[in-house]
Amino acid sequence: MKQHLLFLGPPGVGKGTQASLLCKKQNLLHLSTGDLLRSEVAASSTLGLQAAEVMNRGELVSDSLVLSIVEKRLSLNKYGWLLDGFPRTLIQAEALAVLLEEINQPIDAVLLIELNDELLIERLIARGREDDNETVIRHRLKVYKEKTSPLVDYYNKQGLVKTIKGDGDIEAIARRIQENLS
Ligand code: B4P
């Protein structure tokens, strides 16, 4: 079974939902930069206060801030992991490659979950988080296309990408993911 995984895909495609299920099943460390940032916001830490304003505009939090959060956790990990929502820029991906080389834990597979924009918007509006209103969601989709989607090519060149259809119910998508991992 693959132990070092990365989930890629637009906002609202279900990365967090599927990552939680898979991590429970395979006993992997679930590292969601979105969740980690939201817990900093909830704790009103200095980092959280900086991040909240950026997240609520639908922008990406700075690479250096996100990298400092991830580095700490990954280097402590001894078992498998699943990165959810990270990396989101080429700079983050390149920094991750250096870190993984240092700890000798290469990525086994990148799971790219895809869904059309209208369904994404519908799901996010239904979720109703503070950054889930239509104007902000459309901006997040634009940021995804500009800054995160180039990572598909980056990881494709390394032969790591497996594409999963993100439509249908949660169980159906979980099955597709399992099929791609076995
Ligand atoms: P994230 O927390 O990563 O969230 P997301 O991309 O919006 O959602 P995800 O794809 O995980 O969807 P979910 O499972 O929740 O990012 C939030 C913000 O944090 C970013 O905009 C950015 O500002 C910041 N950030 C995070 N990481 C960063 C980084 N590395 N660098 C810089 N900034 C960063 O699913 C969405 C909804 O759909 C849920 O309500 C779910 O219940 C529902 N759903 C899931 N699967 C479904 C299905 N099959 N059918 C119907 N509904 C479904």
Coordinates of all heavy atoms in Angstrom, one line a residue, residues 57-134:
R57 N -10.7 36.4 2.1 CA -10.7 37.1 0.7 C -10.6 36.0 -0.4 O -10.8 36.4 -1.5 CB -9.5 38.0 0.6 CG -9.7 39.3 1.3 CD -8.7 40.4 0.7 NE -7.4 39.9 0.3 CZ -6.3 40.0 1.1 NH1 -6.4 40.6 2.3 NH2 -5.2 39.6 0.7
G58 N -10.3 34.8 0.0 CA -10.2 33.7 -1.0 C -8.8 33.7 -1.7 O -8.6 33.0 -2.7
E59 N -7.9 34.4 -1.0 CA -6.5 34.3 -1.5 C -5.7 33.2 -0.8 O -6.2 32.6 0.2 CB -5.8 35.7 -1.1 CG -6.3 36.9 -1.8 CD -5.9 37.0 -3.3 OE1 -5.0 36.3 -3.7 OE2 -6.6 37.7 -4.0
L60 N -4.5 32.9 -1.3 CA -3.6 32.0 -0.6 C -2.8 32.6 0.4 O -2.3 33.8 0.3 CB -2.7 31.3 -1.7 CG -3.4 30.4 -2.7 CD1 -2.3 29.8 -3.6 CD2 -4.3 29.4 -2.1
V61 N -2.6 31.9 1.5 CA -1.8 32.4 2.6 C -0.3 32.3 2.1 O 0.0 31.5 1.2 CB -2.0 31.5 3.9 CG1 -1.1 31.8 5.0 CG2 -3.5 31.6 4.3
S62 N 0.6 33.1 2.7 CA 1.9 33.2 2.1 C 2.7 31.9 2.2 O 2.5 31.1 3.1 CB 2.8 34.3 2.8 OG 3.2 33.8 4.0
D63 N 3.5 31.6 1.2 CA 4.2 30.3 1.1 C 5.1 30.1 2.4 O 5.1 29.0 2.9 CB 5.1 30.3 -0.1 CG 4.3 30.2 -1.4 OD1 3.3 29.6 -1.4 OD2 4.8 30.8 -2.4
S64 N 5.7 31.2 2.8 CA 6.6 31.0 4.0 C 5.8 30.6 5.2 O 6.3 29.7 6.0 CB 7.4 32.2 4.2 OG 6.6 33.3 4.5
L65 N 4.7 31.2 5.4 CA 3.9 30.8 6.6 C 3.4 29.4 6.5 O 3.5 28.6 7.5 CB 2.7 31.8 6.6 CG 2.0 32.1 7.9 CD1 1.4 33.5 7.9 CD2 1.0 31.1 8.2
V66 N 2.9 29.0 5.4 CA 2.4 27.6 5.2 C 3.5 26.6 5.4 O 3.4 25.6 6.1 CB 1.7 27.4 3.8 CG1 1.4 25.9 3.6 CG2 0.5 28.2 3.8
L67 N 4.7 26.9 4.8 CA 5.8 26.0 4.9 C 6.3 25.8 6.3 O 6.6 24.7 6.7 CB 7.0 26.5 4.0 CG 6.7 26.3 2.5 CD1 7.7 27.1 1.7 CD2 6.9 24.8 2.2
S68 N 6.3 26.9 7.1 CA 6.7 26.7 8.5 C 5.8 25.8 9.2 O 6.2 25.0 10.1 CB 6.8 28.1 9.2 OG 5.5 28.6 9.4
I69 N 4.5 25.8 8.9 CA 3.6 24.9 9.6 C 3.8 23.4 9.2 O 3.8 22.5 10.0 CB 2.1 25.2 9.2 CG1 1.7 26.6 9.7 CG2 1.1 24.2 9.7 CD1 0.3 27.0 9.4
V70 N 4.0 23.2 7.9 CA 4.1 21.8 7.4 C 5.5 21.2 7.8 O 5.5 20.0 8.2 CB 4.1 21.8 5.8 CG1 4.4 20.5 5.3 CG2 2.7 22.3 5.4
E71 N 6.5 22.0 7.7 CA 7.9 21.4 8.0 C 7.9 20.8 9.4 O 8.4 19.7 9.5 CB 8.8 22.6 7.9 CG 10.1 22.2 7.2 CD 10.9 23.4 6.9 OE1 10.4 24.4 6.2 OE2 12.1 23.4 7.3
K72 N 7.4 21.5 10.4 CA 7.4 21.1 11.7 C 6.8 19.7 11.8 O 7.3 18.8 12.4 CB 6.6 22.0 12.6 CG 7.3 22.5 13.9 CD 6.4 23.3 14.8 CE 5.8 24.5 14.1 NZ 4.8 25.2 14.9
R73 N 5.6 19.5 11.2 CA 4.8 18.3 11.4 C 5.4 17.1 10.6 O 5.5 16.0 11.1 CB 3.4 18.5 11.0 CG 2.7 19.3 12.1 CD 1.4 19.8 11.7 NE 0.7 20.5 12.9 CZ 0.9 21.7 13.2 NH1 1.8 22.5 12.6 NH2 0.3 22.2 14.2
L74 N 5.8 17.4 9.4 CA 6.3 16.3 8.5 C 7.6 15.7 9.1 O 7.8 14.5 9.1 CB 6.6 16.8 7.1 CG 5.5 16.5 6.1 CD1 6.1 16.8 4.7 CD2 5.0 15.1 6.2
S75 N 8.5 16.6 9.6 CA 9.8 16.0 10.0 C 9.6 15.2 11.3 O 10.5 14.4 11.6 CB 10.8 17.2 10.2 OG 10.2 18.2 11.0
L76 N 8.5 15.4 12.0 CA 8.3 14.6 13.2 C 7.7 13.2 12.9 O 7.7 12.3 13.7 CB 7.3 15.3 14.2 CG 7.9 16.5 14.9 CD1 6.8 17.2 15.7 CD2 9.1 16.2 15.8
N77 N 7.1 13.1 11.7 CA 6.4 11.9 11.4 C 7.2 10.7 11.0 O 8.2 10.8 10.3 CB 5.5 12.3 10.2 CG 4.9 11.1 9.5 OD1 4.2 10.3 10.1 ND2 5.4 10.8 8.3
K78 N 6.8 9.6 11.6 CA 7.6 8.4 11.3 C 6.8 7.4 10.4 O 7.4 6.4 9.9 CB 7.9 7.6 12.6 CG 8.7 8.4 13.6 CD 10.2 7.9 13.6 CE 11.1 8.6 14.6 NZ 11.0 10.0 14.6
Y79 N 5.5 7.6 10.3 CA 4.7 6.6 9.5 C 4.3 7.3 8.2 O 5.0 8.2 7.7 CB 3.5 6.3 10.4 CG 3.9 5.8 11.7 CD1 3.8 6.6 12.8 CD2 4.5 4.5 11.9 CE1 4.3 6.2 14.1 CE2 4.9 4.1 13.2 CZ 4.8 5.0 14.2 OH 5.2 4.5 15.5
G80 N 3.2 6.8 7.6 CA 2.8 7.4 6.3 C 2.0 8.7 6.5 O 1.6 9.0 7.6
W81 N 1.9 9.4 5.4 CA 1.2 10.7 5.5 C 0.4 10.9 4.3 O 0.6 10.4 3.2 CB 2.1 11.9 5.8 CG 3.4 11.9 5.1 CD1 4.6 11.6 5.7 CD2 3.7 12.2 3.7 NE1 5.6 11.7 4.8 CE2 5.1 12.0 3.6 CE3 2.9 12.5 2.6 CZ2 5.7 12.3 2.3 CZ3 3.5 12.7 1.4 CH2 4.9 12.6 1.3
L82 N -0.6 11.8 4.4 CA -1.4 12.3 3.3 C -1.5 13.8 3.3 O -2.0 14.3 4.3 CB -2.8 11.7 3.3 CG -3.7 11.8 2.1 CD1 -4.9 10.9 2.1 CD2 -4.2 13.2 1.8
L83 N -1.0 14.5 2.3 CA -1.0 15.9 2.3 C -2.3 16.4 1.6 O -2.5 16.0 0.4 CB 0.2 16.5 1.6 CG 1.6 16.0 2.2 CD1 2.7 16.6 1.4 CD2 1.7 16.4 3.6
D84 N -3.1 17.2 2.3 CA -4.4 17.6 1.7 C -4.4 19.1 1.7 O -4.3 19.8 2.7 CB -5.5 17.1 2.7 CG -6.8 17.8 2.7 OD1 -7.1 18.5 1.7 OD2 -7.5 17.6 3.7
G85 N -4.4 19.6 0.4 CA -4.5 21.1 0.2 C -3.1 21.7 0.3 O -2.9 22.9 0.3
F86 N -2.1 20.9 0.2 CA -0.7 21.4 0.2 C 0.1 20.4 -0.6 O -0.1 19.2 -0.5 CB -0.1 21.4 1.6 CG 1.4 21.7 1.7 CD1 1.8 23.0 1.6 CD2 2.3 20.7 1.7 CE1 3.2 23.3 1.6 CE2 3.7 20.9 1.6 CZ 4.1 22.3 1.6
P87 N 1.0 20.8 -1.5 CA 1.3 22.2 -1.9 C 0.2 22.9 -2.8 O -0.6 22.2 -3.4 CB 2.6 22.1 -2.7 CG 2.6 20.7 -3.3 CD 1.8 19.9 -2.3
R88 N 0.2 24.2 -2.8 CA -0.8 24.9 -3.6 C -0.1 25.9 -4.6 O -0.8 26.5 -5.3 CB -1.7 25.7 -2.7 CG -3.1 25.1 -2.5 CD -3.9 26.0 -1.5 NE -5.3 25.8 -1.5 CZ -6.0 25.0 -0.8 NH1 -5.4 24.2 0.1 NH2 -7.3 25.0 -0.8
T89 N 1.2 26.0 -4.5 CA 1.9 26.8 -5.5 C 3.2 26.0 -5.9 O 3.6 25.1 -5.1 CB 2.4 28.1 -4.9 OG1 3.3 27.9 -3.8 CG2 1.2 29.0 -4.3
L90 N 3.8 26.4 -7.0 CA 5.1 25.8 -7.4 C 6.2 26.0 -6.3 O 7.0 25.1 -6.1 CB 5.5 26.3 -8.7 CG 4.9 25.6 -10.0 CD1 5.3 26.4 -11.2 CD2 5.3 24.2 -10.0
I91 N 6.2 27.1 -5.7 CA 7.2 27.4 -4.7 C 7.0 26.4 -3.5 O 8.0 25.8 -3.1 CB 7.1 28.9 -4.2 CG1 7.6 29.8 -5.3 CG2 7.9 29.1 -2.9 CD1 7.5 31.3 -5.0
Q92 N 5.8 26.2 -3.1 CA 5.5 25.2 -2.1 C 5.9 23.8 -2.5 O 6.5 23.0 -1.7 CB 4.0 25.2 -1.7 CG 3.6 26.5 -0.9 CD 2.1 26.4 -0.5 OE1 1.5 25.4 -0.6 NE2 1.6 27.6 -0.1
A93 N 5.6 23.4 -3.8 CA 6.0 22.1 -4.3 C 7.5 21.9 -4.3 O 8.0 20.8 -3.9 CB 5.4 21.9 -5.7
E94 N 8.2 22.9 -4.7 CA 9.7 22.8 -4.8 C 10.3 22.7 -3.4 O 11.2 21.9 -3.1 CB 10.3 24.0 -5.6 CG 10.1 23.7 -7.1 CD 10.2 25.0 -7.9 OE1 10.4 26.1 -7.3 OE2 10.0 24.9 -9.1
A95 N 9.7 23.5 -2.4 CA 10.2 23.4 -1.1 C 9.9 22.1 -0.4 O 10.7 21.5 0.3 CB 9.5 24.5 -0.2
L96 N 8.7 21.5 -0.8 CA 8.3 20.2 -0.3 C 9.3 19.1 -0.8 O 9.7 18.3 -0.1 CB 6.9 19.9 -0.7 CG 6.4 18.5 -0.4 CD1 6.3 18.3 1.2 CD2 5.1 18.2 -1.0
A97 N 9.7 19.3 -2.1 CA 10.6 18.3 -2.7 C 11.9 18.3 -1.9 O 12.5 17.2 -1.6 CB 10.8 18.6 -4.2
V98 N 12.4 19.4 -1.5 CA 13.7 19.5 -0.8 C 13.5 18.8 0.6 O 14.3 18.0 1.0 CB 14.1 21.0 -0.6 CG1 15.3 21.1 0.3 CG2 14.4 21.6 -2.0
L99 N 12.4 19.2 1.2 CA 12.2 18.6 2.6 C 12.0 17.1 2.5 O 12.6 16.4 3.3 CB 10.9 19.2 3.1 CG 10.4 18.7 4.4 CD1 11.4 19.0 5.6 CD2 9.0 19.3 4.8
L100 N 11.3 16.6 1.5 CA 11.1 15.1 1.4 C 12.4 14.4 1.1 O 12.6 13.3 1.5 CB 10.0 14.8 0.4 CG 8.6 15.3 0.8 CD1 7.6 14.9 -0.3 CD2 8.2 14.8 2.1
E101 N 13.2 15.0 0.3 CA 14.6 14.5 0.0 C 15.4 14.4 1.3 O 16.0 13.3 1.6 CB 15.2 15.4 -1.0 CG 16.7 15.1 -1.3 CD 16.8 14.4 -2.6 OE1 16.2 14.8 -3.6 OE2 17.6 13.4 -2.6
E102 N 15.3 15.4 2.1 CA 16.1 15.4 3.4 C 15.6 14.3 4.3 O 16.4 13.6 5.0 CB 15.9 16.7 4.1 CG 16.8 17.8 3.7 CD 16.3 19.2 4.2 OE1 15.5 19.2 5.2 OE2 16.8 20.2 3.7
I103 N 14.3 14.0 4.3 CA 13.8 13.0 5.3 C 13.6 11.7 4.6 O 13.2 10.7 5.2 CB 12.5 13.4 6.0 CG1 11.4 13.7 5.0 CG2 12.8 14.6 6.9 CD1 10.0 14.0 5.7
N104 N 14.0 11.6 3.3 CA 14.0 10.4 2.5 C 12.6 9.7 2.5 O 12.5 8.5 2.7 CB 15.1 9.4 3.1 CG 15.4 8.3 2.1 OD1 15.1 8.5 0.9 ND2 15.9 7.2 2.6
Q105 N 11.6 10.5 2.2 CA 10.2 10.0 2.1 C 9.6 10.5 0.8 O 8.8 11.4 0.8 CB 9.4 10.5 3.3 CG 9.9 9.9 4.6 CD 9.0 10.2 5.8 OE1 7.8 10.6 5.6 NE2 9.5 10.2 7.0
P106 N 9.9 9.9 -0.3 CA 9.4 10.4 -1.6 C 7.9 10.2 -1.7 O 7.3 9.3 -1.1 CB 10.1 9.6 -2.6 CG 10.7 8.4 -1.9 CD 10.8 8.8 -0.5
I107 N 7.2 11.0 -2.5 CA 5.8 10.9 -2.7 C 5.5 9.6 -3.6 O 6.2 9.4 -4.6 CB 5.2 12.1 -3.5 CG1 5.4 13.4 -2.7 CG2 3.8 11.9 -3.9 CD1 5.2 14.7 -3.5
D108 N 4.5 8.8 -3.1 CA 4.2 7.6 -3.9 C 3.2 7.9 -5.0 O 3.2 7.2 -6.0 CB 3.6 6.5 -3.0 CG 4.7 6.0 -2.0 OD1 5.8 5.8 -2.4 OD2 4.4 5.9 -0.8
A109 N 2.2 8.8 -4.7 CA 1.2 9.0 -5.7 C 0.5 10.4 -5.4 O 0.4 10.8 -4.2 CB 0.1 7.9 -5.7
V110 N 0.1 11.1 -6.5 CA -0.6 12.3 -6.4 C -2.0 12.0 -6.9 O -2.2 11.6 -8.1 CB 0.1 13.4 -7.2 CG1 -0.8 14.7 -7.3 CG2 1.4 13.8 -6.7
L111 N -3.0 12.2 -6.1 CA -4.4 11.9 -6.5 C -5.1 13.3 -6.9 O -5.2 14.1 -6.0 CB -5.2 11.2 -5.4 CG -4.6 9.8 -5.1 CD1 -4.7 9.4 -3.7 CD2 -5.2 8.8 -6.0
L112 N -5.4 13.4 -8.1 CA -6.0 14.6 -8.6 C -7.5 14.4 -8.7 O -8.0 13.6 -9.5 CB -5.4 15.0 -10.0 CG -6.2 16.1 -10.8 CD1 -6.0 17.4 -10.1 CD2 -5.6 16.2 -12.2
I113 N -8.3 15.1 -7.9 CA -9.8 14.9 -7.9 C -10.3 16.1 -8.8 O -10.0 17.3 -8.5 CB -10.4 14.9 -6.5 CG1 -9.6 14.0 -5.6 CG2 -11.8 14.5 -6.6 CD1 -10.1 13.9 -4.2
E114 N -11.2 15.8 -9.7 CA -11.7 16.8 -10.6 C -13.2 16.9 -10.6 O -13.9 15.9 -10.5 CB -11.3 16.5 -12.1 CG -9.8 16.6 -12.3 CD -9.4 16.4 -13.8 OE1 -10.1 15.6 -14.5 OE2 -8.5 17.1 -14.2
L115 N -13.7 18.1 -10.8 CA -15.2 18.3 -10.8 C -15.4 19.7 -11.5 O -14.6 20.6 -11.4 CB -15.7 18.3 -9.4 CG -17.2 18.3 -9.2 CD1 -17.9 17.0 -9.7 CD2 -17.6 18.5 -7.7
N116 N -16.6 19.8 -12.1 CA -16.8 21.1 -12.8 C -17.2 22.2 -11.8 O -17.7 22.0 -10.7 CB -17.9 20.9 -13.9 CG -19.3 20.7 -13.4 OD1 -19.8 21.5 -12.6 ND2 -19.9 19.6 -13.8
D117 N -17.0 23.4 -12.3 CA -17.1 24.6 -11.4 C -18.5 24.7 -10.8 O -18.6 25.1 -9.6 CB -16.8 25.9 -12.2 CG -15.3 26.1 -12.4 OD1 -14.5 25.2 -12.1 OD2 -14.9 27.1 -13.0
E118 N -19.5 24.5 -11.6 CA -20.9 24.7 -11.1 C -21.2 23.8 -9.9 O -21.7 24.2 -8.9 CB -21.9 24.6 -12.1 CG -21.9 25.7 -13.2 CD -21.6 27.1 -12.7 OE1 -22.3 27.5 -11.8 OE2 -20.6 27.7 -13.1
L119 N -20.7 22.5 -10.0 CA -20.9 21.6 -8.8 C -20.1 22.0 -7.6 O -20.5 21.8 -6.5 CB -20.6 20.1 -9.3 CG -21.8 19.4 -10.0 CD1 -21.3 18.1 -10.5 CD2 -23.0 19.3 -9.1
L120 N -18.9 22.5 -7.9 CA -18.0 22.9 -6.8 C -18.7 24.0 -6.0 O -18.7 24.0 -4.8 CB -16.7 23.4 -7.4 CG -15.7 22.4 -8.0 CD1 -14.6 23.0 -8.7 CD2 -15.2 21.4 -6.9
I121 N -19.2 25.0 -6.8 CA -19.8 26.2 -6.2 C -21.0 25.7 -5.3 O -21.2 26.2 -4.2 CB -20.2 27.2 -7.2 CG1 -18.9 27.8 -7.9 CG2 -21.1 28.3 -6.7 CD1 -19.1 28.6 -9.1
E122 N -21.8 24.8 -5.9 CA -23.0 24.3 -5.2 C -22.6 23.7 -3.8 O -23.1 23.9 -2.8 CB -23.6 23.2 -6.1 CG -25.1 23.2 -6.1 CD -25.5 22.2 -7.1 OE1 -25.7 21.0 -6.8 OE2 -25.7 22.5 -8.3
R123 N -21.5 22.8 -3.9 CA -21.1 22.1 -2.7 C -20.6 23.1 -1.6 O -20.9 23.0 -0.4 CB -19.9 21.2 -3.0 CG -20.4 19.9 -3.6 CD -19.2 18.9 -3.6 NE -19.5 17.8 -4.5 CZ -18.7 16.9 -4.8 NH1 -17.4 16.9 -4.4 NH2 -19.0 15.8 -5.5
L124 N -19.8 24.1 -2.1 CA -19.2 25.0 -1.1 C -20.3 25.9 -0.5 O -20.2 26.2 0.7 CB -18.1 25.8 -1.8 CG -16.9 25.0 -2.1 CD1 -15.9 25.8 -2.9 CD2 -16.2 24.5 -0.8
I125 N -21.2 26.4 -1.3 CA -22.3 27.2 -0.7 C -23.1 26.4 0.3 O -23.4 26.9 1.4 CB -23.2 27.7 -1.8 CG1 -22.5 28.8 -2.6 CG2 -24.5 28.3 -1.3 CD1 -23.2 29.4 -3.8
A126 N -23.3 25.1 0.1 CA -24.0 24.2 1.0 C -23.1 24.1 2.3 O -23.7 23.9 3.4 CB -24.3 22.9 0.4
R127 N -21.8 24.0 2.2 CA -20.9 23.9 3.3 C -21.0 25.1 4.3 O -21.1 25.0 5.5 CB -19.5 23.6 2.9 CG -18.5 23.5 4.1 CD -17.1 23.1 3.7 NE -16.5 24.2 2.9 CZ -15.3 24.1 2.4 NH1 -14.6 22.9 2.5 NH2 -14.7 25.1 1.8
G128 N -21.0 26.3 3.7 CA -21.3 27.5 4.4 C -20.3 28.0 5.4 O -20.6 28.7 6.4
R129 N -19.0 27.7 5.1 CA -17.9 28.2 6.0 C -17.8 29.7 5.7 O -18.4 30.2 4.7 CB -16.6 27.5 5.6 CG -15.7 27.2 6.7 CD -14.6 26.2 6.2 NE -13.9 26.7 5.1 CZ -13.0 25.9 4.4 NH1 -12.9 24.6 4.7 NH2 -12.4 26.4 3.4
E130 N -17.0 30.4 6.5 CA -16.9 31.9 6.4 C -16.4 32.3 5.0 O -16.8 33.3 4.4 CB -16.0 32.5 7.4 CG -16.3 33.9 7.8 CD -15.6 34.3 9.0 OE1 -15.2 33.5 9.8 OE2 -15.5 35.5 9.2
D131 N -15.5 31.5 4.4 CA -15.0 31.8 3.0 C -15.8 31.1 1.9 O -15.3 31.0 0.8 CB -13.5 31.4 2.9 CG -13.2 30.0 3.3 OD1 -14.1 29.3 3.9 OD2 -12.2 29.4 2.9
D132 N -17.0 30.7 2.2 CA -17.9 30.0 1.2 C -19.0 30.8 0.7 O -20.2 30.4 0.7 CB -18.4 28.7 1.8 CG -17.4 27.6 2.0 OD1 -16.3 27.7 1.3 OD2 -17.6 26.7 2.8
N133 N -18.8 32.1 0.3 CA -19.9 32.8 -0.4 C -19.5 32.9 -1.9 O -18.3 32.8 -2.2 CB -20.2 34.2 0.2 CG -19.1 35.1 0.0 OD1 -18.8 35.6 -1.1 ND2 -18.3 35.4 1.1
E134 N -20.5 33.1 -2.7 CA -20.2 32.8 -4.2 C -19.1 33.7 -4.7 O -18.3 33.2 -5.5 CB -21.5 33.0 -5.0 CG -21.2 32.6 -6.4 CD -22.5 32.3 -7.3 OE1 -23.6 32.2 -6.7 OE2 -22.3 32.3 -8.5

